[in-house]
Amino acid sequence: MSGIALLFPGQGSQYKGMGVNTYKYDSHTKQIMEEASDILGYDMYTLCSTGEMEQLSRTSYTQPALLTMSMIAFQTYMHQVGIEPILSAGHSLGEYSALVASGALSFQEGLRLVQQRGQFMENTAKDGTGSMIAIRGIDLDELERLCIQHSTPEQPVVIACYNSQLQHVVAGHSQALERLNRSLEQQQVQMNLLSVSGPFHTILMEQAADRLATFLHTQTFQQSRWPIISNVTAQPYTNDVHIRQGLIDQMTCAVKWQQSLLYMVAEGVHTTIEIGPRNILTRLSEDIVPTTHGYAFDKHQDRQRLITDYSLDGWLKECLAQSISLPNCNWNEEEYELGVIQPIQRLKQMLSEVSLSNTNDLHAANIREKASSCLTEILRTKKGEKPSQQDVLIHQLVGGLA
């Protein structure tokens, strides 16, 4: 297994100019931008590149923009690196990006969903009665105690995101937040007002959740290519009913990001790749599990390091080496020609094409899939292992090489 998890950022990661450089050079980026513009009825490229930050920060615009940018990053990742994750998760809005990337939703379906979600949330929060604040430097139990102390039934304040051991996000009614702020200032706690328009992931979003529920009940979800972790339970979704309910509950329940990452690590994740704007989730991963290796795909240096560390050229060479070194117990010349010689020739051809091509001209995911098929065919033809052991060895070889 690859040990890789893909992480998709949520609201607050947006910035003016995101996606501009890739838009200029990648044809698939242009196609995604144009498709988003056609669906939404406004120019996505202008919004993200030269539009006003005030508009980009409006929830109804932020959410479609972030989903679009995350899908551009995902497509670029699959072209340049191409390793499928063993698990995936998205922070709040990012959960929709994770679902689209995994195939549970189409891009068009995901975009329309987040457009509606953003409008519902913006309308619910339009009176400005609430907001969100990121907090570092206070014990969790103490923060929970203060939230209870400064809440009333009409003016709640709660922990909305369990981001890491060091950072939590509180959200709630403005007056309750003011009372909480005064207590935190006395303790010299680090606070940062988030660039969002309302008290998300609290009971104050109940009206938006009800409206989203009506919209989601018309939506069908497909089988995902890999497991997606729910923000609400920090466990993988099991079916479309579970996904639908999780997306509804997410509106009024806390995001269990720290718990989600700890689950992924327990399941064998050792490397995280943040797919989308900025590197917020990568830094949180370093807080939660310092031993986890993280890459932020939006950062040029990280992207180049990732392409080098998971070199497609080197992976194909290793595939060839494994193909040749595997012991042979099949002396049928015809079977050996079809199941060993020809697949090895295909591997050599792929290696030659990769060595001579520019990274942007490749589709790494397709090449890895074809090479894995060749390796599987060779192993089964050579019959060096019992049938019951072949699948285990194939899994180890292909996953280990990834």
Side-chain angles (χ1 to χ4, degrees):
M1 299 177 74
S2 69
I4 288 174
L6 299 184
L7 310 180
F8 294 86
Q11 201 163 335
S13 296
Q14 70 274 9
Y15 64 89
K16 187 174 180 177
M18 59 183 183
V20 172
N21 290 332
T22 51
Y23 180 82
K24 291 178 179 177
Y25 302 109
D26 294 344
S27 59
H28 72 270
T29 301
K30 183 177 181 180
Q31 180 181 349
I32 293 172
M33 283 277 201
E34 291 176 346
E35 186 175 359
S37 299
D38 290 342
I39 292 170
L40 299 169
Y42 55 82
D43 191 331
M44 179 60 73
Y45 177 67
T46 298
L47 173 66
C48 295
S49 60
T50 60
E52 294 297 326
M53 192 62 196
E54 181 179 355
Q55 182 183 18
L56 183 59
S57 295
R58 282 181 54 188
T59 300
S60 58
Y61 288 95
T62 306
Q63 298 197 15
L66 284 174
L67 176 65
T68 300
M69 290 302 110
S70 292
M71 288 308 97
I72 287 172
F74 175 71
Q75 289 297 330
T76 304
Y77 165 79
M78 293 303 284
H79 273 80
Q80 296 182 352
V81 181
I83 302 175
E84 290 198 352
I86 61 171
L87 290 167
S88 183
H91 193 288
S92 188
L93 165 74
E95 199 165 280
Y96 289 80
S97 301
L99 289 166
V100 173
S102 73
L105 282 172
S106 69
F107 177 59
Q108 297 92 330
E109 291 169 330
L111 202 59
R112 291 191 177 98
L113 272 175
V114 300
Q115 183 183 35
Q116 292 294 320
R117 180 182 188 263
Q119 289 174 349
F120 296 151
M121 293 169 73
E122 189 173 287
N123 291 338
T124 301
K126 65 183 178 182
D127 56 3
T129 56
S131 57
M132 305 181 78
I133 300 174
I135 296 174
R136 295 177 72 92
I138 185 172
D139 179 75
L140 176 59
D141 291 339
E142 174 65 6
L143 182 58
E144 289 178 332
R145 184 189 70 78
L146 289 172
C147 286
I148 294 171
Q149 176 184 330
H150 296 297
S151 289
T152 68
E154 297 77 21
Q155 298 177 357
V157 59
V158 298
I159 297 177
C161 302
Y162 295 88
N163 281 344
S164 75
Q165 297 95 320
L166 304 177
Q167 187 199 84
H168 299 88
V169 174
V170 295
H173 194 280
S174 298
Q175 293 183 30
L177 279 173
E178 287 178 11
R179 295 192 293 268
L180 177 63
N181 279 354
R182 287 194 290 271
S183 292
L184 294 174
E185 285 172 354
Q186 293 175 2
Q187 300 188 34
Q188 298 182 333
V189 173
Q190 181 181 341
M191 295 178 286
N192 180 39
L193 182 66
L194 297 185
S195 179
V196 297
S197 58
F200 306 146
H201 305 295
T202 74
I203 194 63
L204 297 175
M205 286 288 110
E206 189 171 26
Q207 182 182 8
D210 290 342
R211 298 172 87 178
L212 180 66
T214 301
F215 197 76
L216 278 170
H217 281 308
T218 65
Q219 179 63 54
T220 301
F221 295 89
Q222 305 302 319
Q223 179 67 42
S224 61
R225 297 201 301 272
W226 49 79
I228 308 298
I229 308 302
S230 164
N231 281 186
V232 176
T233 65
Q235 298 286 317
Y237 284 122
T238 55
N239 54 50
D240 60 339
V241 175
H242 190 191
I243 293 172
R244 192 176 293 109
Q245 191 59 51
L247 295 178
I248 296 168
D249 292 343
Q250 186 208 71
M251 299 284 279
T252 56
C253 297
V255 173
K256 295 180 180 178
W257 190 252
Q258 178 183 350
Q259 298 90 327
S260 296
L261 194 64
L262 289 174
Y263 173 86
M264 288 189 277
V265 171
E267 290 297 303
V269 169
H270 54 68
T271 299
T272 63
I273 304 172
E274 185 170 359
I275 304 292
R278 298 195 188 275
N279 63 340
I280 293 172
L281 300 182
T282 302
R283 287 189 277 113
L284 288 178
S285 298
E286 293 169 356
D287 285 349
I288 299 167
V289 187
T291 55
T292 301
H293 197 181
Y295 301 86
F297 203 71
D298 192 46
K299 303 299 179 183
H300 178 75
Q301 185 175 358
D302 273 21
R303 186 164 63 251
Q304 294 306 119
R305 186 162 52 90
L306 178 65
I307 292 170
T308 300
D309 291 349
Y310 290 88
S311 164
L312 185 58
D313 181 273
W315 186 80
L316 286 170
K317 289 177 180 176
E318 186 63 23
C319 280
L320 270 170
Q322 292 285 355
S323 299
I324 294 169
S325 64
L326 287 169
N328 177 52
C329 296
N330 185 355
W331 310 113
N332 183 303
E333 293 185 4
E334 184 177 353
E335 289 182 3
Y336 193 84
E337 169 67 26
L338 293 174
V340 178
I341 300 299
Q342 291 185 16
I344 286 178
Q345 289 173 345
R346 292 198 295 272
L347 284 172
K348 289 180 178 179
Q349 179 64 30
M350 279 185 266
L351 178 59
S352 175
E353 291 173 357
V354 167
S355 300
L356 295 173
S357 298
N358 184 287
T359 305
N360 293 329
D361 298 329
L362 300 173
H363 195 303
N366 289 346
I367 295 170
R368 289 184 190 275
E369 183 178 1
K370 292 176 182 177
S372 298
S373 295
C374 288
L375 192 58
T376 300
E377 188 177 358
I378 291 165
L379 176 61
R380 287 179 172 159
T381 301
K382 284 190 170 184
K383 299 180 179 179
E385 301 288 340
K386 295 179 180 178
S388 61
Q389 296 174 325
Q390 285 182 0
D391 288 339
V392 175
L393 187 55
I394 290 167
H395 184 72
Q396 290 174 340
L397 287 174
V398 174
L401 290 173

